[in-house]
Amino acid sequence: MTRPTLMLGRAPADRLIDELRRGFEELSANSGPVTMQTIKCGESAAVAGYEKAVRRTFRRVGVTLRGSTFPYEVDDEPLIEEIDRANDDPSTQGVLLFEPLPPHVNAELVKSRLSPDKDVDCVTPRRLGDFYSGQSDVAPATAAAVIQMLDHHAIAIEGKRAVVVGRSSVVGRPAALLLTFRNATVTVCHTRTLALDEELRRAEIIVAAAGVPELVTSDHVSEGVVVVDVGTNYVEGRVVGDVHFEGVSKKAKAITPVPRGVGPLTTVMLARNLFNLASAGE
Ligand code: NAD
């Protein structure tokens, strides 16, 4: 087998950032600067890495970020008050809540308080409803990044057997839905799947979003498979994907590395969501 196509996030991210920068410039010229509010609770390696990437992307597209940081021990109420303030602030066009929220916070309650018109990551019930019915130009960012990655590398989706490992509401489920919208035949695997290896071996496209380091190995995949690894796991100070890259890349036709794969595209999808929200509110 020849070497696989290495699907890097950088090139599609740069291309979209250029487009978005021009779009935001035009929006700002017509209706004033575009600003996004971020809200986070405490500090963790995962949130810190993501926040840094968000800051970098939004700086590049010319959007100002305003950040609020709450202590990890924060209750629901101060978060809800901050969201209410951001909802009512006409100078803010989007709000991003860094997840996961601490376990003692009622995440569904807090998220549902956000105005759908400012919901940049598609977490509110109305946005999710629109997304699931195929009527939204705002999509969960990581799932959208998966599709963007495949499209950029001219990977055909229609008619393919796709297996998504993971069924979380932020990654697995929306990725499966977007693949279905694109006419793939999709199987969603999860912790109760009886024979993950058999499902994976049937796949022509694998999207790994389980949060388990190197769960998918070369024994589990068929020759010529396309693999998008969403996993971002911190192991002994290193970021490791859900796919055993070295082994699987010997069989794959195309594969994303971790890091430098889907990650750089995710924050760009957030910026695209913000652009669509800000344009709609013009
Ligand atoms: P999650 O823990 O909410 O969900 C994990 C899902 O994987 C669950 O549905 C679970 O059933 C399934 N799963 C876990 N172990 C499994 C196993 N052994 N076999 C089959 N299924 C299994 O995680 P999440 O928020 O969906 O994130 C998934 C991964 O993606 C994590 O590594 C996370 O850090 C990463 N992530 C990356 C980005 C990015 O931009 N690259 C964004 C969000 C999340």
Side-chain angles (χ1 to χ4, degrees), residues 75-131:
D75 295 329
D76 298 355
E77 211 44 50
L79 291 172
I80 287 172
E81 282 168 15
E82 186 68 4
I83 287 172
D84 286 347
R85 256 195 301 278
N87 285 343
D88 292 340
D89 179 354
S91 70
T92 298
Q93 288 78 15
V95 181
L96 174 65
L97 263 172
F98 284 110
E99 295 197 62
L101 292 168
H104 58 272
V105 167
N106 184 341
E108 291 316 310
L109 175 74
V110 169
K111 287 192 283 189
S112 68
R113 195 64 172 236
L114 185 60
S115 161
D117 297 335
K118 296 193 176 184
D119 176 9
V120 290
D121 205 11
C122 205
V123 295
T124 55
R126 200 197 85 197
R127 278 280 157 213
L128 279 170
D130 287 351
F131 170 65

Side-chain angles (χ1 to χ4, degrees), residues 106-171:
N106 184 341
E108 291 316 310
L109 175 74
V110 169
K111 287 192 283 189
S112 68
R113 195 64 172 236
L114 185 60
S115 161
D117 297 335
K118 296 193 176 184
D119 176 9
V120 290
D121 205 11
C122 205
V123 295
T124 55
R126 200 197 85 197
R127 278 280 157 213
L128 279 170
D130 287 351
F131 170 65
Y132 276 82
S133 57
Q135 292 168 16
S136 179
D137 54 5
V138 172
T142 309
V146 169
I147 302 296
Q148 193 71 36
M149 179 69 90
L150 294 172
D151 284 346
H152 179 82
H153 291 93
I155 305 289
I157 300 175
E158 176 146 346
K160 300 293 178 194
R161 282 187 305 276
V163 169
V164 178
V165 189
R167 59 173 165 185
S168 75
S169 57
V170 284
V171 190

Side-chain angles (χ1 to χ4, degrees), residues 142 165-168 170-172 189-191 196 209-212 215 230-233 242 262-263 266:
T142 309
V165 189
R167 59 173 165 185
S168 75
V170 284
V171 190
C189 296
H190 44 78
T191 42
L196 179 65
V212 180
L215 173 70
V230 178
T232 311
N233 310 294
D242 286 355
V262 177
T266 303

